[in-house]
Amino acid sequence: MRISRKTIWSALTSFQLAIACLALLMVLVVACTLAQVELGTYAAVHKFMNCFVVWWHVPGTALKLPVFPGGATVGTVLVLNLVAAQLKRIQLNWRQLGLWIVHAGLVLLMVGQFVSGAMQVEMRMAIEQGQTLSYLESPRDMELVITDGTDPKFDDEYAIPESMLERLGSVAIPGTPLTVNVRDYYRNAKLGMRQPNDPPSPATAGIGPQVAVQELPPVTADDAFDTRAVFVEPVAAGKSYGTWLVSPALGAPQMFFHEGRKYQLSMRPRRQSLPYALTLKKFSHDVYLGTDVPKNFSSLVHLSNPARGEERDVLIYMNSPLRYGGKAFYQASFGKNDTLSILQVVDNPGWLLPYISCAMVALGLVIHFAMSLRRGLRRQASLAGSAS
């Protein structure tokens, strides 16, 4: 059966399609809200809203089946429907000006949500008083780091992202004779000292042979993070240096030597370097008098950007972030007896779009109301004139 362009255009511009998309969005919102109990907010939003397809993992297998359109798919169809319907019913006259602005604002709102879901990156900066940092960390993503610490003046680091660890296989380290063979990878694991009845460890070097690794399901709480563990085998010039267990739970890095050079193996949150640096001069934690109820958190930081010749102090406090270089630094948490400040850093290229869209919708409604009121007053005046 051949479907004509007219049929497709009619379906795309139909009011029924808009209602169906809104109904699907309602189902997704309800499912996402209920899933937050089990998955947590971050995982639930990514599973239902920031995706094109909702997948169902068949219990007991690795099979995943598509079961529902994701929020990105439904939102895209709804935007196309709004734009197409407006073009189909186009009326270029001043009476429709307010409605045109309202529709444009709604489309921009959905585009902004799509841009945020696809491009927003959230990281953090955990900085202690007196410390200077020029990098951000992603607590939800990890990386395996091989550090050449031979020169006492600096460390030469190479990071292997988690996506490459998950695929296993071999990774050549640029600028070194090393190749790292990834033998096994656990997204979440519990580490403990090996007991006599534990199975043999895959590790043959470092502290790994003494540690038992138990795989766990991923954590779901928003304030909890998985404990990664990976077994790797460094090889250089055809010589194996054994299989090592590397995990942030081990605390200290492990090292080996090759032809007089010292290499360290460690795992840490994924880092992103910045072209500028922040120094925490003072962190303040105020509470209401006579209570432990928080009143205010604030971080006084010094921003240093030699490339721009910029040196200034900035006070970051609740609802007053530092916006710099396309990133927003929010006061998020603290620790170590109020000497550690944790800043949540959001890089969202579309952060202005929701504000602009809301302003457009408000402006469009005001214009539409004003023009309708004017027409109504004129009609009343005309009727009054006819009656007299």
Side-chain angles (χ1 to χ4, degrees), residues 236-247:
K239 179 182 179 181
S240 171
Y241 284 89
T243 300
W244 300 67
L245 168 64
V246 186
S247 171

Side-chain angles (χ1 to χ4, degrees), residues 30-297:
V30 172
C32 181
T33 304
L34 296 177
Q36 291 178 21
V37 178
E38 181 181 352
L39 302 178
T41 304
Y42 180 83
V45 169
H46 278 267
K47 180 176 181 179
F48 291 95
M49 306 308 292
N50 294 339
C51 63
F52 288 97
V53 176
V54 178
W55 297 88
W56 176 57
H57 191 175
V58 180
T61 69
L63 181 64
K64 294 195 300 183
L65 299 175
V67 293
F68 207 79
T73 300
V74 179
T76 302
V77 174
L78 184 57
V79 168
L80 293 175
N81 173 260
L82 286 174
V83 174
Q86 194 69 8
L87 292 175
K88 181 180 180 180
R89 301 170 177 82
I90 186 168
Q91 296 181 15
L92 294 178
N93 58 61
W94 288 104
R95 292 187 175 184
Q96 302 297 323
L97 178 62
L99 294 179
W100 269 95
I101 296 176
V102 170
H103 278 78
L106 291 175
V107 170
L108 188 61
L109 181 64
M110 295 182 188
V111 171
Q113 175 59 34
F114 184 82
V115 171
S116 297
M119 304 181 68
Q120 177 172 297
V121 177
E122 293 187 14
M123 304 188 80
R124 73 173 188 177
M125 176 182 281
I127 182 171
E128 297 186 41
Q129 282 191 166
Q131 189 179 20
T132 300
L133 294 180
S134 59
Y135 62 83
L136 308 176
E137 291 182 332
S138 174
R140 296 188 181 278
D141 303 310
M142 304 296 288
E143 58 187 14
L144 176 70
V145 181
I146 295 89
T147 304
D148 184 346
T150 307
D151 192 327
K153 297 181 180 178
F154 65 90
D155 291 334
D156 195 4
E157 296 182 341
Y158 183 84
I160 302 177
E162 193 169 14
S163 57
M164 298 180 69
L165 299 177
E166 291 176 334
R167 294 196 297 265
L168 306 182
S170 300
V171 181
I173 309 302
T176 76
L178 294 178
T179 295
V180 175
N181 298 322
V182 183
R183 298 300 186 190
D184 209 350
Y185 165 83
Y186 299 92
R187 180 172 182 80
N188 190 26
K190 178 182 178 182
L191 275 60
M193 296 305 296
R194 289 190 68 248
Q195 301 300 315
N197 295 329
D198 288 336
S201 171
T204 59
I207 196 175
Q210 306 172 39
V211 179
V213 180
Q214 178 186 358
E215 187 173 13
L216 299 176
V219 298
T220 57
D222 293 328
D223 57 349
F225 302 101
D226 295 322
T227 300
R228 303 329 197 258
V230 62
F231 289 95
V232 295
E233 178 195 19
V235 177
K239 179 182 179 181
S240 171
Y241 284 89
T243 300
W244 300 67
L245 168 64
V246 186
S247 171
L250 295 177
Q254 305 173 84
M255 68 183 70
F256 64 93
F257 291 87
H258 172 72
E259 295 182 351
R261 305 198 71 84
K262 182 176 69 175
Y263 296 99
Q264 295 181 343
L265 298 170
S266 61
M267 184 171 278
R268 70 187 183 194
R270 180 173 61 86
R271 288 185 178 180
Q272 179 187 92
S273 298
L274 299 173
Y276 50 88
L278 294 181
T279 302
L280 179 60
K281 300 180 71 173
K282 182 180 180 182
F283 174 74
S284 299
H285 173 200
D286 304 323
V287 297
Y288 287 100
L289 185 64
T291 71
D292 294 329
V293 179
K295 180 181 180 181
N296 181 51
F297 309 106

